[in-house]
Amino acid sequence: MNRSELAEFLRNRRARLTPREAGLPEAGRRRTPGLRRQEVAQLAGMSIDYYIRLEQARGPRPSRQVLSALARALMLTGDERAHLFHLAGEAPAPGGGPSGEVPDGVLNMLESLVDTPAYVIDPKYDVLVWNRLAGVLHGLDDAAPEERNMIRWVFRSPDLRVGLCEPGRGRFARAAVADLRAAAARHPGDPSIGGLVAEMLAASPEFGEMWAAHDVAVQRDQRKQMHHPLIGVIEVDCQVLHIPDRDQRVVLYTTVPGSPSHDALRMLRMLQDTPR
């Protein structure tokens, strides 16, 4: 059980929830935003003293019933609820840390996707394997191992501040940080995840601000706009397929057949196949 993280998460989520959202009367002005501690305790059906001890990181380990009550009271999303249970030590984490071995069936699938960029990432956004088109699109073939990490791509970018103002890149950055926090709770003893977080906190104030928000959400499908020097701007749908037993994800960039983006990816593939 991570008492300090659990306490901070409870305080953070309590501050985000308004009385109106929780179905409580808004009586008078409040010195701080969000619900009061006694209001959370009331909604969760527990004593105010017990809840205060949880927020002060000195309470006993909460039961699954208590965690469920807190999740309802704080109106947590499914991902946030899972994160709460992980912090309390109630959700089992995969043993031995994230796996770096990709199943043979997945490797075969990637090779068969000739016109679709596809790659596999682990919980800390390291790109483990990729097909030929994904390698060309992202420059993976020539990148050093430590550079094949999507969190580093985002927060070490020289145009980071400008990029975060763009809807697509800003949304991806926030989602990736929220996903990384969920991964850190699933694998609390993994040094590589903790090392990446420490590295990014030291290197990027923008990462630190997003990390401090305690947003938690597992990465899912989204639409993305990309620019490549040879084919220009393309729009892709990022389809995310989960490999639960290894905590890995297959990411595929799909396009509408016959669309300009679809034709651009085919052109990129043909350019790479042309003998020089």
Side-chain angles (χ1 to χ4, degrees), residues 98-100 121-128 148-152 176 179-180 183-184 186-187 190-197 247 249:
S99 173
I121 59 174
D122 68 6
K124 63 181 182 299
Y125 281 70
D126 276 348
V127 183
L128 302 176
R148 299 174 189 151
N149 179 275
M150 302 181 78
I151 300 287
R152 291 190 179 102
D179 194 10
L180 184 63
R186 291 196 306 274
H187 304 281
D190 185 73
S192 63
I193 295 177
L196 179 63
V197 172
D247 204 358
R249 277 162 284 180

PDB file of all heavy atoms in Angstrom, residues 98-100 121-128 148-152 176 179-180 183-184 186-187 190-197 247 249:
ATOM      1  N   PRO A  98       7.027  -5.167 -16.221  1.00  0.00           N
ATOM      2  CA  PRO A  98       6.505  -5.312 -17.581  1.00  0.00           C
ATOM      3  C   PRO A  98       7.390  -6.236 -18.419  1.00  0.00           C
ATOM      4  O   PRO A  98       8.609  -6.246 -18.278  1.00  0.00           O
ATOM      5  CB  PRO A  98       6.540  -3.879 -18.132  1.00  0.00           C
ATOM      6  CG  PRO A  98       6.665  -2.993 -16.939  1.00  0.00           C
ATOM      7  CD  PRO A  98       7.392  -3.780 -15.907  1.00  0.00           C
ATOM      8  N   SER A  99       6.757  -6.993 -19.303  1.00  0.00           N
ATOM      9  CA  SER A  99       7.498  -7.909 -20.160  1.00  0.00           C
ATOM     10  C   SER A  99       7.983  -7.191 -21.413  1.00  0.00           C
ATOM     11  O   SER A  99       7.284  -6.353 -21.974  1.00  0.00           O
ATOM     12  CB  SER A  99       6.606  -9.085 -20.569  1.00  0.00           C
ATOM     13  OG  SER A  99       7.248  -9.899 -21.527  1.00  0.00           O
ATOM     14  N   GLY A 100       9.202  -7.523 -21.847  1.00  0.00           N
ATOM     15  CA  GLY A 100       9.742  -6.959 -23.072  1.00  0.00           C
ATOM     16  C   GLY A 100       9.689  -7.926 -24.238  1.00  0.00           C
ATOM     17  O   GLY A 100      10.120  -7.595 -25.343  1.00  0.00           O
ATOM     18  N   ILE A 121       4.250  -1.140 -27.881  1.00  0.00           N
ATOM     19  CA  ILE A 121       4.856  -0.371 -26.789  1.00  0.00           C
ATOM     20  C   ILE A 121       4.614  -1.073 -25.462  1.00  0.00           C
ATOM     21  O   ILE A 121       3.663  -1.850 -25.311  1.00  0.00           O
ATOM     22  CB  ILE A 121       4.299   1.075 -26.714  1.00  0.00           C
ATOM     23  CG1 ILE A 121       2.780   1.067 -26.501  1.00  0.00           C
ATOM     24  CG2 ILE A 121       4.658   1.863 -27.962  1.00  0.00           C
ATOM     25  CD1 ILE A 121       2.183   2.457 -26.272  1.00  0.00           C
ATOM     26  N   ASP A 122       5.497  -0.799 -24.506  1.00  0.00           N
ATOM     27  CA  ASP A 122       5.323  -1.327 -23.156  1.00  0.00           C
ATOM     28  C   ASP A 122       4.694  -0.234 -22.288  1.00  0.00           C
ATOM     29  O   ASP A 122       4.369   0.857 -22.793  1.00  0.00           O
ATOM     30  CB  ASP A 122       6.659  -1.836 -22.606  1.00  0.00           C
ATOM     31  CG  ASP A 122       7.675  -0.731 -22.337  1.00  0.00           C
ATOM     32  OD1 ASP A 122       7.324   0.465 -22.468  1.00  0.00           O
ATOM     33  OD2 ASP A 122       8.833  -1.054 -21.995  1.00  0.00           O
ATOM     34  N   PRO A 123       4.478  -0.468 -20.989  1.00  0.00           N
ATOM     35  CA  PRO A 123       3.767   0.523 -20.163  1.00  0.00           C
ATOM     36  C   PRO A 123       4.444   1.883 -20.050  1.00  0.00           C
ATOM     37  O   PRO A 123       3.780   2.881 -19.773  1.00  0.00           O
ATOM     38  CB  PRO A 123       3.692  -0.155 -18.785  1.00  0.00           C
ATOM     39  CG  PRO A 123       3.802  -1.605 -19.064  1.00  0.00           C
ATOM     40  CD  PRO A 123       4.716  -1.717 -20.243  1.00  0.00           C
ATOM     41  N   LYS A 124       5.759   1.948 -20.249  1.00  0.00           N
ATOM     42  CA  LYS A 124       6.440   3.240 -20.144  1.00  0.00           C
ATOM     43  C   LYS A 124       6.687   3.869 -21.514  1.00  0.00           C
ATOM     44  O   LYS A 124       7.480   4.804 -21.652  1.00  0.00           O
ATOM     45  CB  LYS A 124       7.757   3.116 -19.366  1.00  0.00           C
ATOM     46  CG  LYS A 124       8.801   2.224 -19.984  1.00  0.00           C
ATOM     47  CD  LYS A 124      10.028   2.189 -19.096  1.00  0.00           C
ATOM     48  CE  LYS A 124      11.140   1.335 -19.695  1.00  0.00           C
ATOM     49  NZ  LYS A 124      10.744  -0.070 -19.888  1.00  0.00           N
ATOM     50  N   TYR A 125       5.990   3.336 -22.537  1.00  0.00           N
ATOM     51  CA  TYR A 125       6.002   3.906 -23.886  1.00  0.00           C
ATOM     52  C   TYR A 125       7.317   3.675 -24.625  1.00  0.00           C
ATOM     53  O   TYR A 125       7.632   4.410 -25.559  1.00  0.00           O
ATOM     54  CB  TYR A 125       5.638   5.392 -23.859  1.00  0.00           C
ATOM     55  CG  TYR A 125       4.141   5.629 -23.738  1.00  0.00           C
ATOM     56  CD1 TYR A 125       3.471   5.339 -22.565  1.00  0.00           C
ATOM     57  CD2 TYR A 125       3.410   6.128 -24.807  1.00  0.00           C
ATOM     58  CE1 TYR A 125       2.103   5.533 -22.446  1.00  0.00           C
ATOM     59  CE2 TYR A 125       2.043   6.328 -24.698  1.00  0.00           C
ATOM     60  CZ  TYR A 125       1.393   6.021 -23.517  1.00  0.00           C
ATOM     61  OH  TYR A 125       0.027   6.210 -23.409  1.00  0.00           O
ATOM     62  N   ASP A 126       8.072   2.668 -24.237  1.00  0.00           N
ATOM     63  CA  ASP A 126       9.184   2.219 -25.064  1.00  0.00           C
ATOM     64  C   ASP A 126       8.616   1.459 -26.264  1.00  0.00           C
ATOM     65  O   ASP A 126       7.739   0.600 -26.087  1.00  0.00           O
ATOM     66  CB  ASP A 126      10.103   1.276 -24.281  1.00  0.00           C
ATOM     67  CG  ASP A 126      11.119   2.024 -23.437  1.00  0.00           C
ATOM     68  OD1 ASP A 126      11.263   3.245 -23.616  1.00  0.00           O
ATOM     69  OD2 ASP A 126      11.770   1.378 -22.589  1.00  0.00           O
ATOM     70  N   VAL A 127       9.096   1.769 -27.467  1.00  0.00           N
ATOM     71  CA  VAL A 127       8.677   1.038 -28.659  1.00  0.00           C
ATOM     72  C   VAL A 127       9.535  -0.221 -28.742  1.00  0.00           C
ATOM     73  O   VAL A 127      10.755  -0.150 -28.930  1.00  0.00           O
ATOM     74  CB  VAL A 127       8.843   1.891 -29.929  1.00  0.00           C
ATOM     75  CG1 VAL A 127       8.339   1.122 -31.143  1.00  0.00           C
ATOM     76  CG2 VAL A 127       8.086   3.213 -29.791  1.00  0.00           C
ATOM     77  N   LEU A 128       8.907  -1.375 -28.590  1.00  0.00           N
ATOM     78  CA  LEU A 128       9.637  -2.638 -28.518  1.00  0.00           C
ATOM     79  C   LEU A 128       9.950  -3.202 -29.897  1.00  0.00           C
ATOM     80  O   LEU A 128      11.080  -3.616 -30.166  1.00  0.00           O
ATOM     81  CB  LEU A 128       8.828  -3.666 -27.709  1.00  0.00           C
ATOM     82  CG  LEU A 128       8.467  -3.269 -26.279  1.00  0.00           C
ATOM     83  CD1 LEU A 128       7.599  -4.341 -25.640  1.00  0.00           C
ATOM     84  CD2 LEU A 128       9.716  -3.028 -25.444  1.00  0.00           C
ATOM     85  N   ARG A 148      13.927   5.474 -28.444  1.00  0.00           N
ATOM     86  CA  ARG A 148      12.685   4.856 -28.919  1.00  0.00           C
ATOM     87  C   ARG A 148      11.646   4.861 -27.803  1.00  0.00           C
ATOM     88  O   ARG A 148      11.121   3.828 -27.401  1.00  0.00           O
ATOM     89  CB  ARG A 148      12.948   3.431 -29.403  1.00  0.00           C
ATOM     90  CG  ARG A 148      13.931   3.357 -30.567  1.00  0.00           C
ATOM     91  CD  ARG A 148      14.261   1.914 -30.887  1.00  0.00           C
ATOM     92  NE  ARG A 148      15.366   1.828 -31.856  1.00  0.00           N
ATOM     93  CZ  ARG A 148      16.217   0.816 -31.907  1.00  0.00           C
ATOM     94  NH1 ARG A 148      16.112  -0.193 -31.050  1.00  0.00           N
ATOM     95  NH2 ARG A 148      17.179   0.809 -32.807  1.00  0.00           N
ATOM     96  N   ASN A 149      11.377   6.025 -27.292  1.00  0.00           N
ATOM     97  CA  ASN A 149      10.408   6.189 -26.206  1.00  0.00           C
ATOM     98  C   ASN A 149       9.521   7.384 -26.522  1.00  0.00           C
ATOM     99  O   ASN A 149      10.020   8.500 -26.727  1.00  0.00           O
ATOM    100  CB  ASN A 149      11.124   6.382 -24.866  1.00  0.00           C
ATOM    101  CG  ASN A 149      10.147   6.581 -23.726  1.00  0.00           C
ATOM    102  OD1 ASN A 149       9.693   7.692 -23.474  1.00  0.00           O
ATOM    103  ND2 ASN A 149       9.796   5.509 -23.033  1.00  0.00           N
ATOM    104  N   MET A 150       8.223   7.179 -26.538  1.00  0.00           N
ATOM    105  CA  MET A 150       7.306   8.219 -26.996  1.00  0.00           C
ATOM    106  C   MET A 150       7.150   9.354 -25.985  1.00  0.00           C
ATOM    107  O   MET A 150       6.852  10.482 -26.352  1.00  0.00           O
ATOM    108  CB  MET A 150       5.948   7.586 -27.321  1.00  0.00           C
ATOM    109  CG  MET A 150       6.053   6.487 -28.370  1.00  0.00           C
ATOM    110  SD  MET A 150       4.474   5.751 -28.802  1.00  0.00           S
ATOM    111  CE  MET A 150       3.840   7.022 -29.883  1.00  0.00           C
ATOM    112  N   ILE A 151       7.344   9.064 -24.701  1.00  0.00           N
ATOM    113  CA  ILE A 151       7.303  10.129 -23.688  1.00  0.00           C
ATOM    114  C   ILE A 151       8.464  11.092 -23.920  1.00  0.00           C
ATOM    115  O   ILE A 151       8.298  12.322 -23.884  1.00  0.00           O
ATOM    116  CB  ILE A 151       7.378   9.540 -22.267  1.00  0.00           C
ATOM    117  CG1 ILE A 151       6.203   8.590 -21.998  1.00  0.00           C
ATOM    118  CG2 ILE A 151       7.423  10.661 -21.227  1.00  0.00           C
ATOM    119  CD1 ILE A 151       4.880   9.250 -21.798  1.00  0.00           C
ATOM    120  N   ARG A 152       9.631  10.545 -24.187  1.00  0.00           N
ATOM    121  CA  ARG A 152      10.793  11.400 -24.472  1.00  0.00           C
ATOM    122  C   ARG A 152      10.575  12.186 -25.756  1.00  0.00           C
ATOM    123  O   ARG A 152      10.959  13.356 -25.848  1.00  0.00           O
ATOM    124  CB  ARG A 152      12.062  10.555 -24.576  1.00  0.00           C
ATOM    125  CG  ARG A 152      12.524   9.951 -23.250  1.00  0.00           C
ATOM    126  CD  ARG A 152      13.921   9.347 -23.389  1.00  0.00           C
ATOM    127  NE  ARG A 152      14.385   8.801 -22.123  1.00  0.00           N
ATOM    128  CZ  ARG A 152      14.374   7.503 -21.831  1.00  0.00           C
ATOM    129  NH1 ARG A 152      13.920   6.633 -22.722  1.00  0.00           N
ATOM    130  NH2 ARG A 152      14.806   7.068 -20.665  1.00  0.00           N
ATOM    131  N   ALA A 176      -0.785  10.558 -22.374  1.00  0.00           N
ATOM    132  CA  ALA A 176       0.386   9.715 -22.137  1.00  0.00           C
ATOM    133  C   ALA A 176       0.855   9.818 -20.685  1.00  0.00           C
ATOM    134  O   ALA A 176       1.225   8.810 -20.067  1.00  0.00           O
ATOM    135  CB  ALA A 176       1.513  10.102 -23.087  1.00  0.00           C
ATOM    136  N   ASP A 179      -1.572   7.965 -18.521  1.00  0.00           N
ATOM    137  CA  ASP A 179      -1.361   6.533 -18.723  1.00  0.00           C
ATOM    138  C   ASP A 179      -0.111   6.060 -17.988  1.00  0.00           C
ATOM    139  O   ASP A 179      -0.091   4.980 -17.391  1.00  0.00           O
ATOM    140  CB  ASP A 179      -1.237   6.264 -20.225  1.00  0.00           C
ATOM    141  CG  ASP A 179      -1.354   4.794 -20.568  1.00  0.00           C
ATOM    142  OD1 ASP A 179      -1.714   4.003 -19.686  1.00  0.00           O
ATOM    143  OD2 ASP A 179      -1.076   4.442 -21.726  1.00  0.00           O
ATOM    144  N   LEU A 180       0.950   6.869 -18.019  1.00  0.00           N
ATOM    145  CA  LEU A 180       2.183   6.515 -17.327  1.00  0.00           C
ATOM    146  C   LEU A 180       1.966   6.445 -15.815  1.00  0.00           C
ATOM    147  O   LEU A 180       2.531   5.584 -15.138  1.00  0.00           O
ATOM    148  CB  LEU A 180       3.284   7.523 -17.661  1.00  0.00           C
ATOM    149  CG  LEU A 180       4.675   7.232 -17.094  1.00  0.00           C
ATOM    150  CD1 LEU A 180       5.226   5.916 -17.660  1.00  0.00           C
ATOM    151  CD2 LEU A 180       5.639   8.373 -17.409  1.00  0.00           C
ATOM    152  N   ALA A 183       0.393   3.211 -15.079  1.00  0.00           N
ATOM    153  CA  ALA A 183       1.391   2.144 -15.178  1.00  0.00           C
ATOM    154  C   ALA A 183       2.282   2.096 -13.938  1.00  0.00           C
ATOM    155  O   ALA A 183       2.654   1.016 -13.468  1.00  0.00           O
ATOM    156  CB  ALA A 183       2.243   2.340 -16.435  1.00  0.00           C
ATOM    157  N   ALA A 184       2.630   3.270 -13.407  1.00  0.00           N
ATOM    158  CA  ALA A 184       3.470   3.315 -12.204  1.00  0.00           C
ATOM    159  C   ALA A 184       2.770   2.665 -11.021  1.00  0.00           C
ATOM    160  O   ALA A 184       3.419   2.038 -10.176  1.00  0.00           O
ATOM    161  CB  ALA A 184       3.834   4.764 -11.888  1.00  0.00           C
ATOM    162  N   ARG A 186       0.469   0.216 -11.366  1.00  0.00           N
ATOM    163  CA  ARG A 186       0.391  -1.229 -11.653  1.00  0.00           C
ATOM    164  C   ARG A 186       1.715  -1.928 -11.371  1.00  0.00           C
ATOM    165  O   ARG A 186       1.737  -3.105 -11.031  1.00  0.00           O
ATOM    166  CB  ARG A 186       0.018  -1.469 -13.131  1.00  0.00           C
ATOM    167  CG  ARG A 186      -1.385  -1.080 -13.495  1.00  0.00           C
ATOM    168  CD  ARG A 186      -1.810  -1.700 -14.828  1.00  0.00           C
ATOM    169  NE  ARG A 186      -0.900  -1.428 -15.931  1.00  0.00           N
ATOM    170  CZ  ARG A 186      -0.938  -0.348 -16.700  1.00  0.00           C
ATOM    171  NH1 ARG A 186      -1.831   0.597 -16.448  1.00  0.00           N
ATOM    172  NH2 ARG A 186      -0.089  -0.196 -17.696  1.00  0.00           N
ATOM    173  N   HIS A 187       2.824  -1.213 -11.566  1.00  0.00           N
ATOM    174  CA  HIS A 187       4.155  -1.799 -11.392  1.00  0.00           C
ATOM    175  C   HIS A 187       4.958  -0.942 -10.401  1.00  0.00           C
ATOM    176  O   HIS A 187       5.943  -0.299 -10.780  1.00  0.00           O
ATOM    177  CB  HIS A 187       4.882  -1.859 -12.728  1.00  0.00           C
ATOM    178  CG  HIS A 187       4.147  -2.605 -13.794  1.00  0.00           C
ATOM    179  ND1 HIS A 187       4.125  -3.980 -13.865  1.00  0.00           N
ATOM    180  CD2 HIS A 187       3.385  -2.169 -14.834  1.00  0.00           C
ATOM    181  CE1 HIS A 187       3.408  -4.357 -14.909  1.00  0.00           C
ATOM    182  NE2 HIS A 187       2.945  -3.274 -15.507  1.00  0.00           N
ATOM    183  N   ASP A 190       8.880  -1.343 -10.287  1.00  0.00           N
ATOM    184  CA  ASP A 190       9.668  -1.375 -11.518  1.00  0.00           C
ATOM    185  C   ASP A 190      10.581  -0.153 -11.598  1.00  0.00           C
ATOM    186  O   ASP A 190      10.105   0.980 -11.672  1.00  0.00           O
ATOM    187  CB  ASP A 190       8.751  -1.417 -12.733  1.00  0.00           C
ATOM    188  CG  ASP A 190       9.539  -1.564 -14.024  1.00  0.00           C
ATOM    189  OD1 ASP A 190      10.055  -2.660 -14.271  1.00  0.00           O
ATOM    190  OD2 ASP A 190       9.650  -0.574 -14.772  1.00  0.00           O
ATOM    191  N   PRO A 191      11.904  -0.358 -11.596  1.00  0.00           N
ATOM    192  CA  PRO A 191      12.825   0.793 -11.587  1.00  0.00           C
ATOM    193  C   PRO A 191      12.837   1.576 -12.894  1.00  0.00           C
ATOM    194  O   PRO A 191      13.144   2.770 -12.899  1.00  0.00           O
ATOM    195  CB  PRO A 191      14.193   0.161 -11.308  1.00  0.00           C
ATOM    196  CG  PRO A 191      14.062  -1.256 -11.786  1.00  0.00           C
ATOM    197  CD  PRO A 191      12.629  -1.646 -11.544  1.00  0.00           C
ATOM    198  N   SER A 192      12.524   0.919 -14.016  1.00  0.00           N
ATOM    199  CA  SER A 192      12.575   1.623 -15.295  1.00  0.00           C
ATOM    200  C   SER A 192      11.462   2.668 -15.408  1.00  0.00           C
ATOM    201  O   SER A 192      11.678   3.757 -15.951  1.00  0.00           O
ATOM    202  CB  SER A 192      12.487   0.630 -16.456  1.00  0.00           C
ATOM    203  OG  SER A 192      11.250  -0.063 -16.450  1.00  0.00           O
ATOM    204  N   ILE A 193      10.283   2.347 -14.882  1.00  0.00           N
ATOM    205  CA  ILE A 193       9.189   3.322 -14.906  1.00  0.00           C
ATOM    206  C   ILE A 193       9.509   4.478 -13.963  1.00  0.00           C
ATOM    207  O   ILE A 193       9.373   5.650 -14.319  1.00  0.00           O
ATOM    208  CB  ILE A 193       7.854   2.664 -14.541  1.00  0.00           C
ATOM    209  CG1 ILE A 193       7.460   1.628 -15.610  1.00  0.00           C
ATOM    210  CG2 ILE A 193       6.745   3.715 -14.392  1.00  0.00           C
ATOM    211  CD1 ILE A 193       6.187   0.872 -15.315  1.00  0.00           C
ATOM    212  N   GLY A 194       9.934   4.138 -12.745  1.00  0.00           N
ATOM    213  CA  GLY A 194      10.306   5.184 -11.797  1.00  0.00           C
ATOM    214  C   GLY A 194      11.448   6.043 -12.312  1.00  0.00           C
ATOM    215  O   GLY A 194      11.461   7.268 -12.113  1.00  0.00           O
ATOM    216  N   GLY A 195      12.403   5.431 -13.006  1.00  0.00           N
ATOM    217  CA  GLY A 195      13.517   6.193 -13.565  1.00  0.00           C
ATOM    218  C   GLY A 195      13.080   7.152 -14.652  1.00  0.00           C
ATOM    219  O   GLY A 195      13.565   8.285 -14.730  1.00  0.00           O
ATOM    220  N   LEU A 196      12.134   6.710 -15.506  1.00  0.00           N
ATOM    221  CA  LEU A 196      11.634   7.586 -16.565  1.00  0.00           C
ATOM    222  C   LEU A 196      10.881   8.769 -15.969  1.00  0.00           C
ATOM    223  O   LEU A 196      11.050   9.914 -16.416  1.00  0.00           O
ATOM    224  CB  LEU A 196      10.725   6.806 -17.516  1.00  0.00           C
ATOM    225  CG  LEU A 196      10.105   7.617 -18.656  1.00  0.00           C
ATOM    226  CD1 LEU A 196      11.184   8.175 -19.584  1.00  0.00           C
ATOM    227  CD2 LEU A 196       9.102   6.771 -19.438  1.00  0.00           C
ATOM    228  N   VAL A 197      10.058   8.503 -14.956  1.00  0.00           N
ATOM    229  CA  VAL A 197       9.322   9.593 -14.306  1.00  0.00           C
ATOM    230  C   VAL A 197      10.291  10.601 -13.701  1.00  0.00           C
ATOM    231  O   VAL A 197      10.148  11.822 -13.878  1.00  0.00           O
ATOM    232  CB  VAL A 197       8.367   9.035 -13.228  1.00  0.00           C
ATOM    233  CG1 VAL A 197       7.755  10.178 -12.412  1.00  0.00           C
ATOM    234  CG2 VAL A 197       7.267   8.200 -13.864  1.00  0.00           C
ATOM    235  N   ASP A 247       1.085  -6.778 -20.477  1.00  0.00           N
ATOM    236  CA  ASP A 247       0.932  -5.329 -20.302  1.00  0.00           C
ATOM    237  C   ASP A 247       1.612  -4.583 -21.449  1.00  0.00           C
ATOM    238  O   ASP A 247       2.380  -3.635 -21.240  1.00  0.00           O
ATOM    239  CB  ASP A 247       1.479  -4.874 -18.955  1.00  0.00           C
ATOM    240  CG  ASP A 247       0.827  -3.554 -18.493  1.00  0.00           C
ATOM    241  OD1 ASP A 247      -0.018  -3.010 -19.257  1.00  0.00           O
ATOM    242  OD2 ASP A 247       1.145  -3.075 -17.400  1.00  0.00           O
ATOM    243  N   ARG A 249       0.916  -3.030 -25.676  1.00  0.00           N
ATOM    244  CA  ARG A 249      -0.134  -2.582 -26.588  1.00  0.00           C
ATOM    245  C   ARG A 249       0.391  -2.534 -28.019  1.00  0.00           C
ATOM    246  O   ARG A 249       1.524  -2.103 -28.250  1.00  0.00           O
ATOM    247  CB  ARG A 249      -0.634  -1.193 -26.180  1.00  0.00           C
ATOM    248  CG  ARG A 249      -1.670  -1.256 -25.079  1.00  0.00           C
ATOM    249  CD  ARG A 249      -1.833   0.063 -24.394  1.00  0.00           C
ATOM    250  NE  ARG A 249      -0.723   0.322 -23.486  1.00  0.00           N
ATOM    251  CZ  ARG A 249      -0.612   1.408 -22.758  1.00  0.00           C
ATOM    252  NH1 ARG A 249      -1.529   2.343 -22.835  1.00  0.00           N
ATOM    253  NH2 ARG A 249       0.410   1.566 -21.950  1.00  0.00           N
TER     254      ARG A 249
END
